[in-house]
Amino acid sequence: MKIRTLYVSDMDGTLLGADSRVSADSRSMLNEAIREGALFTVATARTPATVAGLLEGIDIKLPTAVMTGSALWNPATGKYSNVKYIARNEVEKAIEIYKAAGLPTFIYTLEEGMIHIYHTGTLNLEEYKFLEERLHTPFKMAHVSLSSPDRLPESLDHVILFFAIQSSLRAEQVAAVLREKLRSTVMCYHDSYGPWVSLLEMFAEGSSKARAVLELAEIAGAERIVAFGDNLNDLPMLRIADVAVAVGNAVEEVKSEANVIIGKNTDDAVAKFILEDFRRNNGRPVSTEKLSK
């Protein structure tokens, strides 16, 4: 009996290669699997502003989980669903905590299908570069500039994300205060900026890639979940997956909880695994190269 499997991959460090793009080979294998009936989507910390371009050329039929599961976004329609807004009282307290700590942060709102970016505090170099790379997109509107970096939303009822790029020590200190004082989901972890810089994120209470993946599985009518990840914010969805897959470049905490360890993100390992696993479980010939476990 065939089992409907949902394949869900993180993007950065997992599906994306060293150039932060989906390789031509991965695109080809993913499209081959989708044409044969595989259910594939992504769960990422990114917003549609960058997800849309990165997934171009992949024939995804399902919504994607964006902003670490705070919303689902459908690439085919450009529509959001299952949006989790941070409670207004939590937003107000969080702003006070960030300001008291002197820690700058971006504040994202989602209104009428458009992400609006605000900021409190002075922009640091990493934040400025991050913002500059994301200004020219139809999915985001920035209300931040070098001359006016400190601007809050007029309404705090549609805040979906706090996002800061800060030194690890400062970010971890503020993360600890946020966790102590608030009920919202707080994540602090290293990413591509290096070991001395951390991303500090805050979402609505209960938001996670795990929750979003379970919603996607219900939408797809999937009976089995195979999830792929590399970093700490992937752990929630890996823990609820039937098969948790870590790429070879994953952090040790992720590898230690994975059922399977495959090749690195630079080896098209996710796409190879999906095509092999789908064919194997549907009685079809496996023609892709064997992955090193």
Side-chain angles (χ1 to χ4, degrees):
M1 181 178 176
K2 297 178 181 178
I3 299 176
R4 286 177 65 84
T5 298
L6 174 65
Y7 299 96
V8 187
S9 179
D10 170 54
M11 295 186 73
D12 292 271
T14 305
L15 180 64
L16 306 184
D19 59 353
S20 294
R21 294 285 185 272
V22 181
S23 75
D25 286 343
S26 282
R27 272 199 312 274
S28 177
M29 284 185 281
L30 289 171
N31 281 334
E32 194 170 348
I34 292 168
R35 279 195 301 272
E36 293 180 11
L39 303 170
F40 170 73
T41 190
V42 299
T44 176
R46 290 175 177 263
T47 71
T50 53
V51 170
L54 292 171
L55 295 183
E56 190 172 355
I58 302 174
D59 192 22
I60 293 182
K61 312 290 187 185
L62 295 168
T64 60
V66 294
M67 292 176 279
T68 313
S70 291
L72 302 184
W73 180 74
N74 192 323
T77 64
K79 303 292 186 182
Y80 289 89
S81 61
N82 298 52
V83 180
K84 286 89 176 171
Y85 292 108
I86 303 172
R88 182 189 177 92
N89 67 315
E90 295 266 301
V91 172
E92 293 170 343
K93 291 176 184 176
I95 291 171
E96 291 176 2
I97 291 169
Y98 278 99
K99 285 188 172 182
L103 193 82
T105 184
F106 289 111
I107 301 172
Y108 287 50
T109 67
L110 178 59
E111 301 176 67
E112 297 181 353
M114 175 67 72
I115 291 175
H116 296 264
I117 307 175
Y118 300 86
H119 190 267
T120 178
T122 303
L123 286 167
N124 63 33
L125 180 60
E126 288 81 8
E127 287 179 320
Y128 176 73
K129 290 179 179 177
F130 175 87
L131 185 64
E132 193 175 42
E133 292 170 359
R134 290 159 172 80
L135 286 178
H136 309 291
T137 167
F139 301 101
K140 277 183 180 177
M141 184 178 294
H143 305 270
V144 185
S145 66
L146 281 177
S147 60
S148 181
D150 200 347
R151 183 176 175 184
L152 297 176
E154 290 183 9
S155 169
L156 301 181
D157 293 325
H158 297 95
V159 174
I160 194 169
L161 165 67
F162 283 76
F163 175 77
I165 310 170
Q166 294 293 328
S167 70
S168 294
L169 178 59
R170 295 189 70 205
E172 288 163 5
Q173 288 172 339
V174 175
V177 177
L178 291 169
R179 290 187 182 113
E180 179 186 354
K181 303 290 185 181
L182 305 177
R183 298 173 63 89
S184 297
T185 298
V186 177
M187 294 186 177
C188 187
Y189 58 96
H190 301 300
D191 200 61
S192 57
Y193 294 92
W196 306 110
V197 176
S198 288
L199 304 185
L200 174 55
E201 301 170 333
M202 187 179 117
F203 310 93
E205 180 183 3
S207 292
S208 70
K209 288 187 179 183
R211 182 171 173 175
V213 168
L214 290 174
E215 291 169 348
L216 287 166
E218 184 174 354
I219 290 170
E223 306 158 275
R224 175 176 176 254
I225 297 171
V226 178
F228 304 81
D230 76 306
N231 213 331
L232 299 181
N233 65 338
D234 298 317
L235 283 173
M237 74 170 176
L238 294 177
R239 287 168 179 158
I240 59 93
D242 297 287
V243 182
V245 184
V247 285
N249 52 287
V251 299
E252 289 305 316
E253 293 94 328
V254 171
K255 287 182 178 179
S256 68
E257 295 204 29
N259 303 119
V260 182
I261 299 175
I262 58 176
K264 295 181 179 180
N265 64 313
T266 52
D267 299 331
D268 300 304
V270 170
K272 288 177 184 177
F273 185 94
I274 290 172
L275 190 53
E276 283 194 351
D277 184 80
F278 178 76
R279 287 176 170 171
R280 184 179 298 112
N281 284 284
N282 285 273
R284 301 183 183 185
V286 177
S287 58
T288 58
E289 179 184 341
K290 274 280 186 183
L291 297 176
S292 57
K293 296 294 192 288

